[in-house]
Amino acid sequence: MRSRVVLLGDPVAHSLSPAMHNAAFAALGLDAVYEAQRVPPDCLAEAIAALRAPGSLGANVTIPHKERVLPHVDRLTETARHVGAVNTIVRLADGRLEGDNTDVAGFLDPLDHNPADLDALRDTEAVVLGSGGAARAVAYALLRHVGLAQLTLVARSPKRAEMLAADLAPFDERDALIVRPTAEGGAAIRAARLAVNATPVGMHPEEDATPWPHADDFAPGQIVYDLIYRPRPTRLLREAAARGAQPIDGLAMLVGQAARAFERWTGRSAPRSALAEAAGLL
Ligand code: NAP
């Protein structure tokens, strides 16, 4: 029987995930298919119940369901429980469904390699722009895996950022988390060794936009990491690099989160170059 993985989201039409995972299945000669399934919120329970059927390997979950799926699965990995969001559902051998979050490890991938070793970030300051689902995974990753002196959430909706900070407080052992409205974020950006864009500002087709128009705040010695992978580079990364900062774009995270999901569904090591090539990003 052909195995099946679905992407549960709304909208899903422009997702790169079907091309990426189908290329990875083909590269390993696996008889499996990945299909995007547009699921409005009132159909979510039914769509998740269908994942229990034999032949199903599981699912990816995207906007707007990453938080809504939590009560519908049988158990959560520690990471998914802590972050409060699921991007991957795995059908276990006994038919139960486990929610996982592979965005956290995907985000850390490019920091874990040269030139920006995670250790070099210890005791430094970082900024995350945004307070949505991706910001949640990024802030959790930084709190758990880097001993930062300060982590500032710079957001246009400080109330949402305060809620995120409150949710992550149990993992903030060094009392590093603070929130600043965008208008007051300049000092934190200038002091940051790492600045992460977790907003969609600057994403195709709005390529002239930038989440931080004050490019003079960037300087050599900083890492500026934009989760956006289209375009590569974004205006933010172009301007930061022009001031000597080290740019990192969203491709490695996209491939990293996909690779881990693939490994959870199949038990096989993911062909990362097939994933990246199929995304049209190499
Ligand atoms: P989300 O949950 O919708 O959150 C978006 C955040 O950006 C919110 O805090 C929102 O503020 C803020 N924002 C939106 N428009 C803004 C604007 N014009 N000015 C200032 N802030 C603005 O989205 P998400 O899932 O976190 O995704 C965020 C970005 O990360 C997207 O570009 C997505 O493609 C990217 N991403 C990349 C990967 C990867 O693998 N590379 C993985 C996940 C996400 P409000 O709260 O005020 O609305």
Side-chain angles (χ1 to χ4, degrees):
M1 182 198 295
R2 172 173 274 203
S3 304
R4 187 165 185 258
V5 178
V6 293
L7 170 65
L8 309 176
D10 188 10
V12 289
H14 297 99
S15 172
L16 296 172
S17 295
M20 292 169 72
H21 286 291
N22 284 324
F25 288 142
L28 296 190
L30 298 176
D31 185 17
V33 63
Y34 185 112
E35 293 168 340
Q37 187 182 343
R38 192 178 75 80
V39 179
D42 57 351
C43 299
L44 185 62
E46 198 185 329
I48 295 175
L51 301 177
R52 299 176 188 279
S56 164
L57 299 177
N60 270 146
V61 183
T62 189
I63 289 174
H65 301 315
K66 283 188 180 183
E67 289 160 56
R68 289 194 185 118
V69 301
L70 265 72
H72 297 287
V73 296
D74 301 307
R75 60 185 223 190
L76 296 168
T77 61
E78 183 186 80
T79 304
R81 191 170 69 251
H82 289 173
V83 175
V86 163
N87 78 330
T88 300
I89 298 175
V90 183
R91 182 181 180 275
L92 303 172
D94 60 8
R96 288 185 306 154
L97 300 179
E98 181 173 80
D100 199 353
N101 187 312
T102 66
D103 283 338
V104 172
F107 166 73
L108 291 170
D109 267 355
L111 296 174
D112 219 358
H113 294 101
N114 280 331
D117 186 9
L118 274 187
D119 286 344
L121 292 173
R122 175 166 285 281
D123 296 324
T124 69
E125 299 185 17
V127 167
V128 176
L129 298 172
S131 54
R136 191 169 272 274
V138 168
Y140 176 77
L142 291 172
L143 288 175
R144 287 312 294 261
H145 298 279
V146 184
L148 289 170
Q150 189 161 297
L151 174 55
T152 308
L153 305 177
V154 173
R156 71 173 177 183
S157 311
K159 270 194 185 151
R160 192 175 179 192
E162 295 284 4
M163 278 165 53
L164 171 51
D167 287 349
L168 294 183
F171 315 108
D172 184 14
E173 287 166 13
R174 298 183 67 178
D175 224 3
L177 261 180
I178 59 172
V179 172
R180 290 281 178 270
T182 306
E184 295 169 23
I189 294 272
R190 287 188 292 277
R193 168 99 171 92
L194 169 70
V196 182
N197 175 34
T199 80
V201 183
M203 188 164 67
H204 177 79
E206 312 283 335
E207 299 186 8
D208 290 338
T210 172
W212 199 257
H214 320 291
D216 287 338
D217 286 340
F218 298 121
Q222 287 183 311
I223 300 162
V224 179
Y225 185 161
D226 198 334
L227 303 196
I228 293 172
Y229 46 82
R230 189 188 279 164
R232 299 175 65 217
T234 55
R235 178 181 157 193
L236 173 74
L237 292 190
R238 284 199 316 273
E239 292 182 346
R243 267 104 184 145
Q246 163 75 45
I248 299 178
D249 66 47
L251 175 62
M253 176 174 176
L254 178 74
V255 171
Q257 61 78 26
R260 284 173 179 79
F262 185 93
E263 285 162 7
R264 293 277 348 250
W265 299 319
T266 65
R268 300 277 299 271
S269 183
R272 287 183 177 236
S273 55
L275 288 168
E277 249 174 63
L281 297 166
L282 282 188

